[in-house]
């Protein structure tokens, strides 16, 4: 389990290093997750890679353990909010407006993306 957790963190570290080194406009953990996904897909395809933390579902067990305790990762954020209640009180209306606007923009972007992909798939099926 410890080796599997180490592999997950190593993938994140590699993702951070590559993003910072190449100046990519992408979060490092996202690239790290892509690397981990590639490793897991390669492990399933090539039995030679099923060794160490990649064997016997070790990475899957470690990730399930992390997800089971995901709520603990929000404690520092909650403490930070409580420490800055004075800022929240003075800028609360602006924060709420920005959050509401960002939700609307995100929903619109999601709907437009879904419609575009649906249209492309329909055109592809028609051919």
């Amino acid at each position: 389990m410890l080796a599997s957790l180490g592999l997950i963190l190593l993938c994140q570290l590699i993702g951070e290093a590559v993003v910072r080194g190449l100046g990519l406009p992408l979060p490092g953990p996202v690239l790290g997750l892509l690397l981990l996904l590639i490793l897991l897909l390669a492990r399933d395809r090539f039995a030679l890679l099923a060794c160490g933390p990649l064997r016997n579902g070790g990475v899957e067990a470690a990730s399930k353990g992390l997800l089971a305790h995901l709520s603990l990762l929000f404690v520092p954020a909650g403490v930070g909010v409580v420490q800055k209640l004075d800022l929240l009180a003075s800028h609360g209306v602006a924060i709420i407006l920005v959050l509401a606007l960002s939700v609307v923009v995100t929903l619109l972007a999601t709907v437009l993306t879904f419609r575009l992909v649906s249209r492309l798939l329909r055109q592809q099926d028609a051919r």
Side-chain angles (χ1 to χ4, degrees):
M1 176 100 153
L2 192 59
S4 299
L5 183 60
L7 179 65
I8 293 170
L9 293 174
L10 179 66
C11 287
Q12 181 177 353
L13 176 67
I14 292 170
E16 282 285 344
V18 169
V19 164
R20 289 184 188 212
L22 298 177
L24 298 175
L26 180 75
V30 172
L31 188 62
L33 277 176
L34 287 173
L35 175 63
L36 184 63
L37 175 65
I38 290 168
L39 273 174
L40 291 174
L41 291 173
R43 174 206 62 188
D44 292 342
R45 186 168 294 260
F46 306 109
L48 180 66
L49 292 175
C51 60
L54 288 173
R55 72 171 181 265
N56 298 333
V59 173
E60 289 86 347
S63 62
K64 284 180 184 177
L66 283 173
L67 287 174
H69 302 292
L70 186 64
S71 60
L72 291 176
L73 299 176
F74 291 101
V75 171
V79 170
V81 168
V82 170
Q83 284 181 339
K84 301 294 183 181
L85 281 178
D86 57 333
L87 284 174
L88 190 60
S90 64
H91 301 292
V93 174
I95 292 171
I96 288 172
L97 288 175
V98 167
L99 286 173
L101 182 65
S102 68
V103 166
V104 169
V105 168
T106 302
L107 287 173
L108 287 173
T110 303
V111 167
L112 292 173
T113 303
F114 178 78
R115 292 190 63 182
L116 176 68
V117 170
S118 289
R119 188 175 301 143
L120 290 173
L121 288 176
R122 261 188 269 125
Q123 287 176 356
Q124 206 173 40
D125 288 342
R127 292 179 192 175

